[in-house]
Amino acid sequence: LIAGFLLFSGFAGLIYQVAWVRLIGQSLGATSVSVAIVISSFFLGLALGSHLAGRMTWLRSRIATYALLEVCIGLSALVLLPILLNLDVVLALAPAFGSSLVLKAALCLALLILPTTAMGATFPVAAALLENRSGHTGRQISRLYSLNTLGAVLGAALSGLWIIPELGLDGAVYLAAAVNLAIAALAFALSRSGDGDPGTATLTAVD
């Protein structure tokens, strides 16, 4: 079940990435700039999330921690959608943004940092659930990473080929958010049942 979570979480993550590139590109008018901003935000968020995952000891249940991260991703993406759809209006509120590409990039980075940081924390938290399960934790983590990457590949491919052409940019974000929230609901149900959570040991950041 945890492997399935990571598969679909990776799927949703790349839908966001493709949609955000196009949304930001509509306002900045340069695809290369929007790609650079979104990719930079993803890498920064993944690094921060992986680092901060080791400090997420405020919940006794690690599966509940994972569920909250998925909620954070989904809800923050929904909040961001109207902002990104009207980013040119937001930029027009401050004249300095009109002439400074650096300020525009900094604003976009600030907008994306919360969901991308939560994305970066999901894998280390999920990997921590394997602790004390067996003597093959390294092999299991590699399988989880492979499934997470497979989900990302599917999300990137289907976004351009079907999801965005059929549902539009807003529909793609709604779909990805629904995936995150469905994962969260299942994870919360799993935490309530007491299954899938081997304990409360400190999480370890995974590169």
Side-chain angles (χ1 to χ4, degrees):
L1 192 57
I2 298 300
F5 290 166
L6 287 175
L7 175 69
F8 284 100
S9 184
F11 174 76
L14 264 291
I15 294 177
Y16 290 132
Q17 187 178 98
V18 175
W20 289 341
V21 165
R22 298 196 183 187
L23 286 168
I24 292 174
Q26 289 179 350
S27 297
L28 299 188
T31 302
S32 59
V33 173
S34 60
V35 168
I37 291 172
V38 174
I39 296 299
S40 298
S41 300
F42 261 78
F43 277 109
L44 178 59
L46 293 176
L48 285 174
S50 182
H51 175 70
L52 294 175
R55 292 165 172 75
M56 292 181 181
T57 58
W58 34 271
L59 279 180
R60 292 185 60 82
S61 170
R62 282 174 284 186
I63 190 66
T65 302
Y66 180 85
L68 284 177
L69 289 170
E70 293 287 352
V71 169
C72 180
I73 296 168
L75 293 184
S76 60
L78 292 176
V79 171
L80 274 175
L81 180 58
I83 298 174
L84 295 179
L85 282 170
N86 299 281
L87 187 58
D88 51 345
V89 177
V90 175
L91 294 173
L93 296 176
F97 286 111
S99 58
S100 176
L101 187 58
V102 173
L103 289 179
K104 291 178 182 179
L107 175 62
C108 294
L109 186 66
L111 290 173
L112 299 181
I113 197 63
L114 178 59
T116 55
T117 299
M119 290 178 195
T122 54
F123 185 83
V125 171
L129 291 166
L130 297 179
E131 291 178 3
N132 302 324
R133 282 293 184 180
S134 72
H136 304 288
T137 303
R139 184 182 302 172
Q140 291 176 333
I141 289 176
S142 68
R143 289 173 179 168
L144 289 183
Y145 191 80
S146 297
L147 285 170
N148 190 231
T149 303
L150 175 61
V153 170
L154 292 173
L158 291 177
S159 292
L161 295 175
W162 180 76
I163 295 172
I164 292 177
E166 291 294 326
L167 304 179
L169 291 171
D170 53 349
V173 172
Y174 290 139
L175 173 62
V179 171
N180 289 129
L181 295 177
I183 293 171
L186 289 172
F188 274 126
L190 192 62
S191 70
R192 289 173 63 87
S193 71
D195 295 329
D197 199 337
T200 59
T202 303
L203 302 175
T204 302
V206 177
D207 295 329

